[in-house]
Amino acid sequence: MAKDKVSIHGAWASRWVFILAATGSAVGLGNIWKFPYMTGVYGGGAFVAMYLLCIALVGLPIMLAETLIGRRGRQSPVNAMKALAVEAGASRHWSLAALIGMVAALLILSFYSVVAGWSLDYIVGMGRGAFGGITAEGAGAAFGGLTDDPWRLTLWHTLFMVLTAVVIGRGVVAGLERSLRIMMPLLFGLLVVLLGYSLTTGYFMQGFDFLFHFDPDKVRGGILAAMGHAFFTLSVGVGSIMVYGAYMPKNASIGGTVLAVGLLDTLVALTAGLALFPIVFAAGLEPGGGPGLMFVTLPIAFGNVAFGQAMGLVFFVLVAVAAWSSSISMLEPAVAYFVERTGRSRAQVTSVLALLCWLVGMGTVLSFNVGAEAKFFVFGDDGFHLFQWGAEGGRNFFDSVDYLTSRILLPLGGLAFVLFAGWVLGREAVRDELSMRYPRLFTLVFWLIRIVAPLGVLIVFVAELTK
Ligand code: TRP
């Protein structure tokens, strides 16, 4: 049977390495950069509450489903789903979900690499002492100076993409473990140090309140955004976790593992939010400042305390590492698939795919400067335009790719994966993979996968469409 095979792409030494790799994938820019800025844009507590609810009821069940599909299939997500569907007597077209997910992951990588590149630029800035004694205006201008410069953005985007390709080209299983075991705890430690700084600003409670004050009127406004972000931060909906599941040993328990990854991820995001918002308020900045939020606020903190810039240097190194252990998981599903399909070497397949992602990423690079007026998905007075130069509304290239992936492709991909586990593989297969000790707990988890999670995705879509 398929489930006893070992993947041709390698295998994790133990369940711990899977936890490390999956946490490495989950914890990234999504937690430290995106979560705070989205919370700011969508007005605080209501967004956070929806996000937590979506993690628990939708995100974690999907993560379970992905892990168990991957481990049972032991191949790239596309081929795993194809084989399992045929084995279960269902249509092989289920694999289409994994194919779309694969493309979505590459699209996410295209802009993720650009933003990760910002943190590389900030490593240099901190190293040079460029932020000493900086004011809020100065920090804003420094960030603007970076995003206005397409060449500088391209340099870092290119470097980050190469770093990602190098790991994937050599095989994800080799060498990931040692670095992550050190870097992850360090990153968290520094976040806690930042949290300590936030406590000294005198605005801690205001930040806390912003994150946790629940205002029911704001729920509808950001509900799809919150669900999309729950998917994004857990890396689910595209097959990243599925492909890591394929390298997981058969005897490892999936349930506890997935829960651990989800809890760690949430902890990092909340800590980042708690550290950031007091600085935002203390500096008189707008919480809804958008994608630059972290890159404008943190230099203010690091630039104005003793040894701050040295800490800032370490911090941005760790952010880059966290981003890097995430970006590799976006490339792996497609690389595994094309290696299986074409029989070419990992190195060759990786080079081609990374180049493609790099090219698409150039669209994001330009959307912050010379291409800022290129708008997509414009609903104007004269009707809908897919593309319009200089339109009032609409989204620039970066926003469009982010919107298309986070709000549409991730939820739909996740929906397909839980439906596949709950209804196509079915109860016995899921029971066999999860091998849980308590039958009641299994029943609960299985119903989360089969009913609650799919329904959750549908409800959010309907709520968004009718808002
Ligand atoms: N979860 C990662 C973060 O928070 C990003 C990420 C990795 C991702 N793999 C993914 C997002 C797959 C969506 C899909 O930074």
Side-chain angles (χ1 to χ4, degrees), residues 112-423:
Y112 203 84
S113 165
V114 176
V115 179
W118 298 349
S119 54
L120 296 179
D121 189 274
Y122 273 66
I123 295 174
V124 176
M126 289 286 169
R128 284 201 335 227
F131 299 103
I134 203 158
T135 59
E137 294 82 60
F143 180 68
L146 168 63
T147 50
D148 281 346
D149 185 346
W151 294 106
R152 210 162 127 203
L153 294 179
T154 304
L155 170 74
W156 298 120
H157 166 49
T158 309
L159 181 61
F160 188 81
M161 197 60 89
V162 169
L163 285 174
T164 304
V166 166
V167 181
I168 289 299
R170 301 167 91 183
V172 72
V173 170
L176 196 65
E177 182 183 1
R178 211 168 315 142
S179 46
L180 289 187
R181 216 205 296 258
I182 306 165
M183 301 285 195
M184 284 298 172
L186 252 179
L187 175 70
F188 190 70
L190 268 186
L191 274 177
V192 173
V193 171
L194 267 177
L195 193 64
Y197 172 79
S198 283
L199 280 166
T200 68
T201 59
Y203 284 81
F204 187 78
M205 280 325 289
Q206 198 174 334
F208 187 90
D209 219 46
F210 183 72
L211 275 176
F212 297 113
H213 176 76
F214 183 73
D215 178 356
D217 291 343
K218 290 192 178 152
V219 165
R220 293 291 283 278
I223 186 166
L224 182 60
M227 184 173 75
H229 185 65
F231 284 68
F232 187 96
T233 191
L234 292 177
S235 306
V236 298
V238 302
S240 281
I241 295 296
M242 198 183 290
V243 79
Y244 280 7
Y247 312 149
M248 194 176 182
K250 172 69 188 146
N251 54 8
S253 131
I254 294 184
T257 310
V258 161
L259 193 64
V261 175
L263 286 177
L264 283 171
D265 186 73
T266 308
L267 189 68
V268 174
L270 292 179
T271 310
L274 275 177
L276 233 71
F277 280 109
I279 305 174
V280 170
F281 292 121
L285 293 166
E286 271 302 312
L293 192 69
M294 151 183 160
F295 292 92
V296 175
T297 40
L298 291 190
I300 304 175
F302 287 127
N304 292 292
V305 296
F307 307 110
Q309 301 208 65
M311 268 194 320
L313 174 76
V314 178
F315 181 81
F316 281 105
V317 169
L318 296 172
V319 169
V321 171
W324 169 74
S325 63
S326 300
S327 64
I328 57 178
S329 73
M330 300 168 196
L331 197 48
E332 180 66 15
V335 168
Y337 173 66
F338 284 109
V339 166
E340 285 164 9
R341 194 181 157 135
T342 64
R344 299 205 175 252
S345 73
R346 274 190 88 83
Q348 278 176 319
V349 171
T350 304
S351 311
V352 173
L353 290 173
L355 186 66
L356 268 175
C357 286
W358 179 86
L359 267 176
V360 179
M362 285 308 293
T364 290
V365 162
L366 299 178
S367 72
F368 288 101
N369 36 70
V370 294
E373 291 304 317
K375 298 290 182 64
F376 303 81
F377 304 106
V378 182
F379 293 92
D381 295 335
D382 54 343
F384 175 77
H385 300 267
L386 191 57
F387 174 77
Q388 203 174 30
W389 187 267
E392 270 291 312
R395 297 167 194 279
N396 68 26
F397 188 85
F398 161 63
D399 288 332
S400 304
V401 179
D402 182 27
Y403 187 87
L404 175 71
T405 50
S406 296
R407 310 280 170 93
I408 300 169
L409 297 179
L410 295 188
L412 288 181
L415 178 62
F417 297 156
V418 266
L419 287 176
F420 185 78
W423 297 88

